[in-house]
Amino acid sequence: MGDPTGLMLGVDLDCGTIRPVLLNIADAPQRNASASVGIVGDLGAGKSVVEKLLTCSVVDRGGRAIVIDRTPVKEWAGFGRSAAGQRCQVIDAAKAELSIDPLRVFGGRTGAHYALSYLTLQLGVGPMSAAGAVLHHAVEHAAAAPKPSMAHVLEALTALAADDQVPGTRRDAAATMADLVSIVAANPLAAMVFDPDLPPVSLEGDLGADMVVVTTAGLTLPPKEAFGNIDVLRQQSLEALIGRAVLYLIAALARQAAFTRAVASSGIA
């Protein structure tokens, strides 16, 4: 039971003697094994304690942990500051202090990919629909600008809707998308995506710490049953739909930060 090396997670009492159980998540890919871990237990059994032990073991052994903290009291933020000190960076997703605009953070094809995926998710349109086509055009136009940003996407949609050389159906689709993007961009919760004046998150700076905690307390998410029923999802509040789409971008940032830095190991909790 367990791994040859790693964190001492407990002891095995089912083998005729007391034997330590070691766990080394970071070493799993090198052994062609999955690094995914599921922790199951009753309320108060210590699931969060085990998660924190595993996270510390990754950081202390030279790896990186990126944690998305959805707890209302931001318990992972406090834990990270205590356990990792100056090696921990906390980013509050509900406060517009940094920009997670994918066109500004990633740039190039990667930024355009995440920007289009974010917009189709946020607006609830299919990428292969007429609306998805005009969003693709606007994202490509914004990505090619001297200073790419999601604010330029809205400008591109507005210009497309006003272009008399464009067929009427395409202009109508662009006008509808421009109106919907304007509604989202005007909401304070979306300022992290659409405000071009905020400093962008840096993968090597803000997300370059050994332990990064992104708190999402304050972001509303749709209920679980909404994801199985598109009609219920469409009836959710604007804040809930924005929260879902912003969480997608946070996950994209975590993924890029974890897999673009040459470290001994990376973890996402």
Side-chain angles (χ1 to χ4, degrees), residues 4 7 37 44 52 63 72 110 112 117-118 130 143-144 150 152 166 168 178 184-185 210 218 223 238 246 255:
L7 166 72
V37 175
K52 292 179 175 67
T110 300
S117 296
Y118 161 79
M150 293 296 284
H152 286 316
V166 176
V184 174
D210 291 340
L238 176 61
V246 167
R255 183 184 187 280

Side-chain angles (χ1 to χ4, degrees), residues 55-201:
T55 302
C56 274
S57 73
V58 170
V59 174
D60 291 342
R61 292 169 68 88
R64 166 192 274 181
I66 301 174
V67 183
I68 297 177
D69 180 7
R70 293 184 56 195
T71 61
V73 296
K74 305 178 183 179
E75 65 175 75
W76 278 90
F79 168 75
R81 292 190 181 101
S82 299
Q86 295 183 348
R87 296 181 297 159
C88 176
Q89 174 68 43
V90 178
I91 299 175
D92 192 334
K95 294 182 179 179
E97 299 173 337
L98 294 169
S99 172
I100 58 173
D101 180 340
L103 294 177
R104 300 177 64 201
V105 175
F106 303 118
R109 302 308 308 165
T110 300
H113 163 76
Y114 285 125
L116 182 59
S117 296
Y118 161 79
L119 287 170
T120 53
L121 177 66
Q122 176 67 82
L123 304 180
V125 302
M128 299 302 292
S129 64
V134 297
L135 286 176
H136 178 268
H137 169 85
V139 167
E140 291 294 315
H141 187 275
K147 293 184 178 180
S149 73
M150 293 296 284
H152 286 316
V153 173
L154 179 56
E155 295 174 1
L157 287 170
T158 303
L160 186 62
D163 190 348
D164 294 334
Q165 303 299 316
V166 176
T169 54
R170 189 172 175 83
R171 289 204 311 271
D172 292 343
T176 300
M177 291 299 100
D179 288 342
L180 293 179
V181 172
S182 296
I183 293 173
V184 174
N187 192 292
L189 289 176
M192 291 184 72
V193 182
F194 289 97
D195 189 344
D197 295 326
L198 291 176
V201 166

Side-chain angles (χ1 to χ4, degrees), residues 7-33:
L7 166 72
M8 182 175 172
L9 194 60
V11 294
D12 181 8
L13 301 178
D14 194 32
C15 59
T17 183
I18 296 178
R19 187 176 67 180
V21 177
L22 307 180
L23 183 61
N24 189 353
I25 296 178
D27 191 50
Q30 300 181 29
R31 295 182 285 105
N32 198 28

